[in-house]
Amino acid sequence: MSADIDRNRIFTASCLALTVTAMTFAIRAGILGQLSQDFGLSDAELGWINAMAFLGFPVATILGGLLYNFLGAKKLVLIAFVGHILGLLLTMSADGFWLLLISSFCIGFANGAVEAGCNPLIADIYHKKQTVMLNRFHVWFPGGIVVGALISKAMTDMSFGWQAQIAVMLVPTLIYGYLIISQTFPKTDNINTSTSANLKGLFSPLFLFMAFCMTLTATSELGTQQWIERILGASGASPMLIMAMVTGVMAVGRFFAGPLVHKLNPYGVLLYSAIVTTIGIYSMSLATGNMVYVSALIFALGVTYFWPTMIGFVAENIPQTGALGMSVMGGVGMFAVSMWNPVIGHWIDKGREQAVAAHTNPEIVELAAGQSTLANLSVFPFVLTFAFAGLALYMRQQKR
């Protein structure tokens, strides 16, 4: 078996693991309404449940980043497999708030372990085109969301309960688990495996700046999408179809990221993304009916490159951080989303309370609550526009 065939099989297995990660994100977003109804949960309580999924992620990525040099990618992804199986089974057997909280953490931990194992693995085996291949790997996050969103909508329309929707994810989980177990992984050759050097690199000013920006890019993308069913449910558009459309655009954009990355450089791609995302989220806060789809398309064109390009930028420009740097970036992003999730839920509850004082129509109340929340979320990419403009100036000066 040649090295190229091994590399391609490993990449395929990694993509399947990320697809499961994405499906957990999409289907859980699609069943928030059912969970609220079945267990009598408020949006603030749903926010804490969401927060556990996003909190488990950074715990796994930071631990995984620290242990990558010792455990290797294969063991980290096997830990993810166990976490996914446990989290899905616990979710299906949940009887209320607390078990949903615990199961969400397990799934989030598994999702983080996938990133902790696969991002540095791909940066290593494709070391001559790291940002391009990380974008191509991350095709399968939006790709998996498309699959998950369409499955969730179809099963909801056919009156399947949320337990059945969770159970569907066990199938691809078992498949990727088998593929990982049966595959031989290569040794790490092309990323820095000195843990002391990795830790020192984390305290460089450039890395700290990028980590701060990651909190805003992740919340702009994932904070908006995780609440899409609650935010856009009364807008006159289908939230799950919007999620499928947004993530479909993201998947195509990431697959063909190479020419854009080469033309604009990673920092140019990030500046473009911040500007377009700001326009997209703010326009969604004003739109109703079919115009929501147009605004969501603009949003998709903005957030497409955020996550993989942030990780690719660190891999290429701060290589001394190694696997730990890439894992911490992902962890910082998800930790920020976990902290903002209850706040977003509170924004929805507060927006609803304010709208009730002025309107009696429940649909108008829900629409107003969602639109006010989107207006708040648009601040995140707006701040990033200035941050990435500064980064572009700095990087151009460094290359002179």
Side-chain angles (χ1 to χ4, degrees), residues 220 224 231-232 273-288 291-292 294-300 302-303 367-368 370-383 385:
S220 298
T224 303
I231 289 174
L232 296 177
S273 298
I275 294 169
V276 178
T277 301
T278 302
I279 296 170
I281 296 180
Y282 188 72
S283 62
M284 277 198 292
S285 75
L286 304 174
T288 56
M291 285 306 296
V292 177
V294 177
S295 299
L297 179 60
I298 297 171
F299 167 75
V303 298
L367 175 63
Q371 289 184 333
S372 65
T373 301
L374 284 165
N376 290 337
L377 285 166
S378 68
V379 173
F380 293 95
F382 181 72
V383 172
T385 300

Side-chain angles (χ1 to χ4, degrees), residues 58-351:
V59 171
T61 55
I62 292 171
L63 286 175
L66 287 168
L67 296 175
Y68 185 90
N69 295 339
F70 303 100
L71 294 179
K74 182 171 184 175
K75 290 180 181 177
L76 285 176
V77 183
L78 287 176
I79 289 170
F81 169 68
V82 174
H84 274 140
I85 293 292
L86 182 62
L88 293 172
L89 293 177
L90 285 175
T91 301
M92 290 167 60
S93 60
D95 57 0
F97 175 77
W98 289 106
L99 202 50
L100 286 171
L101 209 67
I102 294 168
S103 65
S104 291
F105 182 86
C106 290
I107 289 174
F109 189 90
N111 293 346
V114 169
E115 290 261 343
C118 295
N119 280 328
L121 172 67
I122 290 165
D124 182 34
I125 62 178
Y126 296 104
H127 61 281
K128 293 183 179 180
K129 47 180 180 178
Q130 291 174 326
T131 298
V132 171
M133 291 309 295
L134 283 167
N135 265 283
R136 195 161 292 179
F137 166 58
H138 282 275
V139 162
W140 296 101
F141 188 77
I145 288 178
V146 171
V147 174
L150 293 177
I151 288 174
S152 178
K153 178 171 173 55
M155 293 184 74
T156 299
D157 290 346
M158 290 187 290
S159 300
F160 280 94
W162 58 268
Q163 292 94 338
Q165 295 185 40
I166 295 295
V168 165
M169 291 185 281
L170 288 169
V171 176
T173 300
L174 291 171
I175 293 172
Y176 96 71
Y178 167 75
L179 288 174
I180 293 296
I181 291 170
S182 62
Q183 184 63 50
T184 300
F185 279 50
K187 294 181 179 180
T188 301
D189 294 321
N190 300 295
I191 60 174
N192 193 319
T193 56
S194 167
T195 303
S196 60
N198 297 163
L199 287 167
K200 185 177 179 181
L202 297 186
F203 294 97
S204 67
L206 182 57
F207 184 85
L208 293 173
F209 172 79
M210 293 303 292
F212 166 74
C213 290
M214 189 69 174
T215 68
L216 303 180
T217 61
T219 306
S220 298
E221 177 187 345
L222 301 177
T224 303
Q225 290 188 63
Q226 182 71 83
W227 287 90
I228 202 162
E229 191 265 341
R230 302 297 280 176
I231 289 174
L232 296 177
S235 66
S238 167
M240 286 297 99
L241 286 181
I242 287 175
M243 180 175 279
M245 180 191 73
V246 166
T247 49
V249 170
M250 291 172 68
V252 173
R254 287 178 179 179
F255 187 81
F256 296 104
L260 186 65
V261 171
H262 290 308
K263 184 175 182 179
L264 297 181
N265 291 316
Y267 55 81
V269 173
L270 291 171
L271 177 57
Y272 149 84
S273 298
I275 294 169
V276 178
T277 301
T278 302
I279 296 170
I281 296 180
Y282 188 72
S283 62
M284 277 198 292
S285 75
L286 304 174
T288 56
N290 290 333
M291 285 306 296
V292 177
Y293 294 100
V294 177
S295 299
L297 179 60
I298 297 171
F299 167 75
L301 293 171
V303 298
T304 290
Y305 303 106
F306 264 155
W307 190 280
T309 304
M310 291 292 287
I311 294 173
F313 179 92
V314 169
E316 291 184 7
N317 294 283
I318 322 174
Q320 66 271 28
T321 60
L324 182 59
M326 287 178 269
S327 295
V328 168
M329 283 295 288
V332 164
M334 282 297 187
F335 180 76
V337 177
S338 76
M339 293 297 99
W340 282 106
N341 254 306
V343 176
I344 295 170
H346 174 70
W347 284 343
I348 297 172
D349 286 337
K350 184 178 179 181

